[in-house]
Amino acid sequence: MKWYVLYTKPKWEKRAADQLIKVGINCYCPMITKLQQRSDRKIKATVPLFNHYIFVQLADKDRNNVFLSPGVVRYLFWLGVHAVVKDKEIQTIKEWLNTSDAAADISVMQYQIGQKIKLDSGPFCEQNAIVKDITKTHFVLILESIGYVLKVKHK
């Protein structure tokens, strides 16, 4: 079975994933703990790693079952077809989120914007990406297989 990417309503990622799991669909919504500023205090909140996106693993014939959740808007498409994520990429995300140091230690100084690269270290090792932007503190990569933009702080 393939992993597909679903686009959800704003702030519905976790609820939609829970609803889909209840109807028997294998679903993954990667979550991170983030420090958020409230009007009077800072709190640690658990938020989705990818805003508006969750991953579902199902057979082609069952693709319409995801719309049983009112939070699901549509499937994500890449180059005119349903975006498919490899098992290895889902596993990489899970492993990366389970590490204590989720910051990648990758140097991108030798790369040029627009260059296609294969990451050789860090949590997304062996993943193909396109360098979108390089700043003094961050670099921005596009993960080719799902077309998602990843902003990583470098040292």
Side-chain angles (χ1 to χ4, degrees), residues 73-85:
V73 176
R74 62 180 171 82
Y75 278 96
L76 180 71
F77 285 83
W78 180 251
L79 301 175
V81 295
H82 287 91
V84 176
V85 181

Side-chain angles (χ1 to χ4, degrees), residues 32-49:
I32 59 171
T33 302
K34 190 174 182 181
L35 194 63
Q36 291 185 336
Q37 178 67 49
R38 299 295 164 104
S39 60
D40 59 340
R41 66 193 183 286
K42 290 184 179 183
I43 63 164
K44 284 186 177 182
T46 303
V47 296
L49 178 62

